[in-house]
Amino acid sequence: GYGWADVAALEQSMAGRAVRVRGAAHAVRAVGRRVAFVVLRQGTSTVQCVVAAAAGGGDAGMVRLAAGLSRESVVDVAGVVSLPREPVHGTTQQQVEIQVKKLHCISRATPNLPISVGRRSAKRGRRRQSQSCKLFPAVNLLHHGQAGEQVVHVGQDKRLDYRVIDLRTPANQAIFRVQCEVENIFRQVLLSEGFVGIHTPKLIGGSSEGGAAVFKLDYNGQPGCLAQSPQLHKQMAVCGGFERVFEVGPVFRAEDSNTHRHLCEFVGLDMEMVIRDHYFEVCDVVDRLFVAMFDHLNKNCTKELETIDRQYPFKPLKYLPKTLRIEYDEGIGMLKEAGVHVEAMGDLNTEAEKKLGELVHAKYGTDLYMLCRYPSAVRPFYTMPCPDDPRYSNSFDVFVRGEEIISGAQRVHIPELLARQAEARGIAVGSIAAYIDSFRYGAPPHGGFGVGLERVVMLFCGLGNIRKASLFPRDPRRLQP
Ligand code: 4AD
């Protein structure tokens, strides 16, 4: 009988073996009425299946069926593994093919797919990476120049509208494997350092970060909102006796930011820990975590990173074994020296951050660095002021290629100060009374940070748009699919 086989596992030593394979019809080509070639795809692996009327067992009806398969239809073939006379260009399984004896279409794809997986633009000379270019570079060699092939350039919006098809491309398959690894390493490193994973509520009574970027909702007649971060409850977990906690969970931001790096829902990688002497203890965890993470990706995800690079070329990330830390004032000094206008004690805008990234890269040779000691005025209400100068705070941001991936700080664990800072920022203290009260029952000094998962993937892989690192992105205009 024919035993199920995975396309990725096929190899030359299996020649002569009868196998069954289920996959998507990635490309179909008929040669007259007696032979058809169907490239079957499973994940990112492809193999050529030869359907021939003459070659023992096949019949003309089967060739007709194969030739008429619409792209992306799910197909079962049963056949014999064979060694092609020359490597099958355009498949990942170049050294083997399958001589088909039986063929069934399991699920027929609509013949007019709104976007393609396998088709490639003929405009190869174009500099700008169009979404439809290079999607499946190898396979398209099969079809290149074939009569009737239409050149279609499809923008990112349309590809996102049909994300289930879009996700089938090798680059997208690779991006979400990398994302999974980032999340995994986050957990592994923190678990190894004695952190415990927690889940905080996403339906809350008062906003976690303040500001207007809150999705408000009616909670059984009571005003409520979606958590902008686990901030309040991860701190309350520390008040609850957990010395080190982390969380991986959704974060909601109602900001109307139509940029390449803002989503309305993203995945937050958060941690919070007690500190003994200095908030640098939190920075030390960032150091170990991200160096371990990037080392791991470079070492264990080479295939994925190459695949992503083929579709969206990027430079490997440069980072130091111990992450560079510079103070906000030094950063401002570097910018001023370079002739960039920055407001005194103000927040850095996107361009200034980008520019500072370039300056730091030139001076210190790293794409990853920490900016510490921000002015208190530009940080959230729960941030601890510097003991030596309260105009500054015990806080930091981490940047990759000049864009923020992390923000963190020591928190205020003194209830009176916390209430004062909240009030000063116009936050309705009543809506977060239970949070502020948490610090009245004995609360240790503590700090932590929050990372945007999609930002890490976008910036590590140089994707240029955060939507590419979100399975089904939610931005100010998109609630579908
Ligand atoms: O800088 P943010 O808003 O900080 C907090 O939420 C704090 N509670 C963290 C802490 O523990 N002190 O968000 C943290 C990270 C940012 O550095 C960024 O990577 C990401 O979350 N982020 C976003 N990612 C995608 N879309 C958005 N709209 C984002 N806003 C923040």
Side-chain angles (χ1 to χ4, degrees), residues 38 41 55 67 70 103 120 127 134 186 223-224 232 296 378 406 438:
V38 178
R41 187 188 74 241
S70 49
L103 182 143
R120 171 192 201 164
R127 272 195 63 96
K134 285 185 161 188
F186 178 80
L232 308 186
H296 172 88
V378 302
I406 304 179
S438 307

Side-chain angles (χ1 to χ4, degrees), residues 172-292:
N172 282 336
Q173 293 282 312
I175 286 169
F176 292 98
R177 281 178 171 77
V178 168
Q179 187 186 80
C180 177
E181 289 301 311
V182 170
E183 180 181 335
N184 234 342
I185 294 293
F186 178 80
R187 280 181 213 278
Q188 273 177 28
V189 170
L190 292 185
L191 285 171
S192 78
E193 299 212 5
F195 284 75
V196 58
I198 60 166
H199 292 284
T200 60
K202 304 306 154 202
L203 288 166
I204 59 176
S207 84
S208 2
E209 300 289 330
V214 192
F215 285 108
K216 298 206 168 107
L217 53 88
D218 175 353
Y219 190 77
N220 300 328
Q222 229 180 294
C225 60
L226 289 176
Q228 290 163 297
S229 74
Q231 186 64 38
L232 308 186
H233 292 86
K234 70 177 178 175
Q235 285 187 254
M236 289 161 84
V238 171
C239 292
F242 295 96
E243 296 228 318
R244 299 182 146 209
V245 296
F246 72 85
E247 175 164 4
V248 177
V251 170
F252 304 94
R253 303 279 169 104
E255 50 200 340
D256 190 17
S257 306
N258 294 286
T259 74
H260 73 283
R261 60 181 189 153
H262 287 95
L263 293 169
C264 290
E265 177 178 346
F266 63 92
V267 178
L269 308 176
D270 268 80
M271 69 83 116
E272 199 69 25
M273 59 186 268
V274 298
I275 57 181
R276 309 291 183 211
D277 299 313
H278 202 278
Y279 80 99
F280 278 0
E281 290 159 36
V282 178
C283 302
D284 294 342
V285 177
V286 173
D287 259 9
R288 291 192 290 271
L289 175 59
F290 280 82
V291 170

Side-chain angles (χ1 to χ4, degrees), residues 149-414:
E149 283 288 313
Q150 261 189 331
V151 177
V152 192
H153 284 282
V154 183
Q156 174 164 275
D157 255 345
K158 182 155 187 204
R159 296 205 69 90
L160 290 176
D161 286 343
Y162 300 99
R163 191 66 158 158
V164 289
I165 307 173
D166 184 42
L167 287 172
R168 298 173 192 174
T169 64
N172 282 336
Q173 293 282 312
I175 286 169
F176 292 98
R177 281 178 171 77
V178 168
Q179 187 186 80
C180 177
E181 289 301 311
V182 170
E183 180 181 335
N184 234 342
I185 294 293
F186 178 80
R187 280 181 213 278
Q188 273 177 28
V189 170
L190 292 185
L191 285 171
S192 78
E193 299 212 5
F195 284 75
V196 58
I198 60 166
H199 292 284
T200 60
K202 304 306 154 202
L203 288 166
I204 59 176
S207 84
S208 2
E209 300 289 330
V214 192
F215 285 108
K216 298 206 168 107
L217 53 88
D218 175 353
Y219 190 77
N220 300 328
Q222 229 180 294
C225 60
L226 289 176
Q228 290 163 297
S229 74
Q231 186 64 38
L232 308 186
H233 292 86
K234 70 177 178 175
Q235 285 187 254
M236 289 161 84
V238 171
C239 292
F242 295 96
E243 296 228 318
R244 299 182 146 209
V245 296
F246 72 85
E247 175 164 4
V248 177
V251 170
F252 304 94
R253 303 279 169 104
E255 50 200 340
D256 190 17
S257 306
N258 294 286
T259 74
H260 73 283
R261 60 181 189 153
H262 287 95
L263 293 169
C264 290
E265 177 178 346
F266 63 92
V267 178
L269 308 176
D270 268 80
M271 69 83 116
E272 199 69 25
M273 59 186 268
V274 298
I275 57 181
R276 309 291 183 211
D277 299 313
H278 202 278
Y279 80 99
F280 278 0
E281 290 159 36
V282 178
C283 302
D284 294 342
V285 177
V286 173
D287 259 9
R288 291 192 290 271
L289 175 59
F290 280 82
V291 170
M293 183 185 290
F294 296 154
D295 282 352
H296 172 88
L297 294 180
N298 285 330
K299 191 159 160 257
N300 300 300
C301 298
T302 44
K303 247 181 75 185
E304 284 80 7
L305 296 176
E306 281 165 20
T307 304
I308 295 167
D309 182 56
R310 269 201 298 280
Q311 177 81 36
Y312 309 113
F314 69 95
K315 284 204 193 110
L317 193 76
K318 278 186 91 176
Y319 56 97
L320 306 170
K322 185 160 177 4
T323 305
L324 172 72
R325 290 176 201 180
I326 63 175
E327 289 197 353
Y328 168 88
D329 277 349
E330 184 191 341
I332 294 294
M334 288 170 73
L335 283 170
K336 281 188 176 154
E337 212 172 285
V340 181
H341 172 76
V342 276
E343 229 172 276
M345 301 296 271
D347 218 350
L348 297 178
N349 62 26
T350 310
E351 287 98 290
E353 285 179 354
K354 198 90 198 165
K355 182 71 191 169
L356 186 54
E358 288 164 17
L359 294 171
V360 167
H361 183 102
K363 185 166 175 188
Y364 298 102
T366 176
D367 291 317
L368 170 73
Y369 77 99
M370 241 180 254
L371 196 60
C372 304
R373 209 175 148 91
Y374 272 82
S376 295
V378 302
R379 303 301 285 195
F381 73 97
Y382 48 74
T383 311
M384 182 66 100
C386 286
D388 60 321
D389 183 350
R391 291 176 306 150
Y392 292 89
S393 60
N394 280 357
S395 64
F396 64 91
D397 276 358
V398 178
F399 293 89
V400 167
R401 303 189 205 269
E403 297 191 53
E404 179 197 324
I405 56 162
I406 304 179
S407 98
Q410 181 181 352
R411 327 300 187 180
V412 175
H413 62 283
I414 304 152

Side-chain angles (χ1 to χ4, degrees), residues 381-385 390 411-425 436 440:
F381 73 97
Y382 48 74
T383 311
M384 182 66 100
R411 327 300 187 180
V412 175
H413 62 283
I414 304 152
E416 296 76 21
L417 178 59
L418 192 54
R420 261 207 313 282
Q421 292 198 168
E423 258 161 28
R425 284 168 174 76
I436 293 175
R440 298 188 200 282

